[in-house]
Amino acid sequence: MESTHLIACHECDRVFRRPPPLEGLNVRCSRCASDLSSAHLARPTLDNAAAMAVAALITLVIAQCFPIIALKAQGMTSQATLLDAVSSLWAGHMGVVAAVVFFTTTLFPSMELLALLYVLLPLRAGSVPPGFRLVIRFLQWLRPWGMIEVFMLGVLVTTVKMISLARVIPGAGLFAFGALTVLLALVSRFDPHRLWHACDEIEGGDGAAPSGELRTGWSLKEPVVADSLQALSAKQAGLVVCHTCGSVQQLDGVGSHPQCRRCHTALHERRPASVSRTAALLLAAALLYIPANLLPVMHSTSLGRSEDDTILSGVAYFWTSGDWGLAAVVFIASVVVPMLKLAILALLVFAAHRRSTWRPHERTRLYRLVERIGRWSMLDVFVVALTVALVHFGSFAVITAGPGALAFGAVVILTMIASMQFDPRLIWDPIPDEAPAHDDS
């Protein structure tokens, strides 16, 4: 069978026959249970994705232009937009933190929506826009770094925190960010891999596999276990999988510097120096995690008194104030999640270096967990940014960002990059393909 009629799991490298082009088909890998639904040729819902992207872009503009919340205290009023938070951090000599907040809440989400619309609108009209491949690769790179939903949670935490200091008045920006969070969640359900399939259909490429080579009896009600080809990995079969567009190609037919025939991305059997790069980033994050917890993230001055707040003191503040739920949220997002990410990544790196066959299913689930929860640690940085922008009541109360916020933001970014550098296929490489990978009891 030709490689154009194959798909491969991006987590364990197992090769499968391409499923039939049926909308709503839920396909999972029979080896590691990874979701393969984006790899089959279900017709993309371009109209719905375009409508959601337009609505999200309009809502993003509204959210940026109007105040999120306002404070009233001692006859003074203070209000803040997202850009006010960025400018306050910049004025407080926290340019790196200001850049992180601006990129993750303004620049990257807007660029993602614009890039999506740039390719969606022409595809709906039956044409492929210029620079399609570069734009899709850029879109896929941008997607993990948009953190509007984390920022929205930070807004809610900041609102509760400010209630004891002043009267809190919700602004139009708060409701816009709430709507934007929902819209972006709907947009994120659209897999960019479907755009490659739409491009194939328009250009008449390797879009659909012949119906005679497809297994019948697929069900739409239950997840389908993909039909494996002799239980081989792509590496064993002399194939290589493109992580950008998902196409499977013959490795010996792509030259000395292999590039994907479909998207022109550099091809590699395994991510180069995955273990060493992940270990280096992990070590840097672990070293920065110490000052991130010891140094103050905020410095507050009220009626001539100064006080420094660390991450743990903020958790203690919510706990003693009776806001146990928020104390738990902040503690989990700012303390438990970073420690959990560091521990899981250390385990994955150590096991991959030793080529361990210990519990591959559990390690794969841990990898997916790190991928999903990585961004939520940015919560404390967003709380600091909003608090600094809101609390500037002259001699009554002023709050500035501390060096702990910079260290903590660096920990979050480094752990996210570390998880991206780790190649999950290294978990399954030592596992014999001829024997099922059973979990240990």
Side-chain angles (χ1 to χ4, degrees):
M1 182 180 291
E2 296 182 5
S3 59
T4 54
H5 303 147
L6 304 177
I7 61 173
C9 177
H10 64 282
E11 290 187 357
C12 72
D13 208 34
R14 179 63 61 84
V15 182
F16 303 96
R17 295 183 179 88
R18 190 184 293 277
L22 297 176
E23 185 64 44
L25 188 63
N26 185 12
V27 185
R28 293 192 179 276
C29 175
S30 59
R31 191 186 195 197
C32 69
S34 174
D35 185 12
L36 301 179
S37 297
S38 62
H40 72 77
L41 297 178
R43 184 173 298 277
T45 54
L46 301 183
D47 291 340
N48 293 341
M52 292 297 175
V54 170
L57 188 60
I58 296 173
T59 309
L60 178 62
V61 174
I62 297 173
Q64 300 287 337
C65 295
F66 289 89
I68 302 172
I69 54 177
L71 301 182
K72 282 190 176 183
Q74 301 293 320
M76 296 179 288
T77 302
S78 174
Q79 62 183 17
T81 64
L82 179 54
L83 295 180
D84 290 335
V86 173
S87 62
S88 297
L89 289 171
W90 188 272
H93 307 289
M94 283 288 170
V96 176
V97 181
V100 169
V101 173
F102 176 71
F103 289 159
T104 56
T105 60
T106 303
L107 184 62
F108 289 165
S110 60
M111 293 178 71
E112 177 188 347
L113 292 172
L114 289 172
L116 188 59
L117 287 173
Y118 175 80
V119 295
L120 276 175
L121 297 179
L123 288 177
R124 289 180 63 253
S127 63
V128 179
F132 173 84
R133 292 173 176 84
L134 290 176
V135 173
I136 296 300
R137 288 163 59 183
F138 183 60
L139 172 64
Q140 290 174 290
W141 179 86
L142 279 175
R143 177 158 283 191
W145 297 103
M147 302 183 186
I148 291 294
E149 70 278 12
V150 184
F151 178 75
M152 185 62 195
L153 181 59
V155 171
L156 298 179
V157 172
T158 305
T159 301
V160 175
K161 189 174 184 178
M162 293 294 104
I163 288 177
S164 61
L165 180 65
R167 180 187 173 194
V168 178
I169 304 173
L174 176 62
F175 301 102
F177 270 112
L180 180 62
T181 302
V182 176
L183 289 171
L184 287 179
L186 296 174
V187 171
S188 66
R189 295 179 61 186
F190 181 81
D191 196 319
H193 283 92
R194 292 188 167 193
L195 297 173
W196 295 107
H197 302 326
C199 178
D200 289 341
E201 292 180 359
I202 293 173
E203 293 182 340
D206 57 354
S211 59
E213 296 182 351
L214 293 174
R215 186 164 66 90
T216 59
W218 301 83
S219 171
L220 299 183
K221 296 181 180 179
E222 305 246 343
V224 173
V225 177
D227 189 15
S228 179
L229 277 176
Q230 300 176 355
L232 289 176
S233 67
K235 185 177 182 180
Q236 291 173 328
L239 303 171
V240 64
V241 186
C242 177
H243 266 251
T244 300
C245 67
S247 64
V248 180
Q249 301 172 30
Q250 292 285 346
L251 185 59
D252 56 2
V254 289
S256 58
H257 299 286
Q259 283 190 337
C260 176
R261 292 189 294 266
R262 191 189 206 184
C263 66
H264 303 161
T265 303
L267 295 175
H268 43 260
E269 287 185 335
R270 298 293 179 265
R271 192 180 298 275
S274 173
V275 172
S276 58
R277 290 181 181 180
T278 306
L281 292 165
L282 182 62
L283 179 60
L287 292 175
L288 284 171
Y289 186 66
I290 299 173
N293 284 275
L294 296 180
L295 296 178
V297 293
M298 286 188 296
H299 179 78
S300 57
T301 303
S302 179
L303 299 177
R305 295 187 304 170
S306 297
E307 184 179 357
D308 290 331
D309 292 322
T310 63
I311 293 175
L312 290 177
S313 67
V315 174
Y317 169 81
F318 284 120
W319 187 267
T320 56
S321 300
D323 296 316
W324 301 324
L326 281 178
V329 168
V330 175
F331 180 75
I332 292 173
S334 302
V335 179
V336 175
V337 169
M339 292 181 63
L340 189 63
K341 288 190 298 182
L342 292 173
I344 292 176
L345 287 172
L347 172 64
L348 295 177
V349 168
F350 178 77
H353 177 69
R354 296 292 300 272
R355 293 186 60 83
S356 172
T357 59
W358 176 77
R359 294 186 179 271
H361 288 282
E362 283 78 0
R363 283 188 282 146
T364 302
R365 294 188 190 104
L366 288 175
Y367 170 76
R368 295 172 192 158
L369 177 65
V370 171
E371 287 282 281
R372 291 191 181 107
I373 67 175
R375 63 176 60 198
W376 291 96
S377 298
M378 196 64 75
L379 171 66
D380 227 51
V381 176
F382 292 146
V383 171
V384 170
L386 279 172
T387 305
V388 168
L390 283 168
V391 183
H392 47 80
F393 293 117
S395 59
F396 173 61
V398 175
I399 294 181
T400 57
L406 176 60
F408 190 78
V411 170
V412 177
I413 293 174
L414 286 172
T415 52
M416 288 183 65
I417 299 176
S419 67
M420 295 174 185
Q421 287 297 318
F422 183 77
D423 195 330
R425 294 173 294 184
L426 297 175
I427 298 174
W428 293 91
D429 280 348
I431 309 298
D433 279 304
E434 60 273 12
H438 294 295
D439 293 347
D440 297 341
S441 57

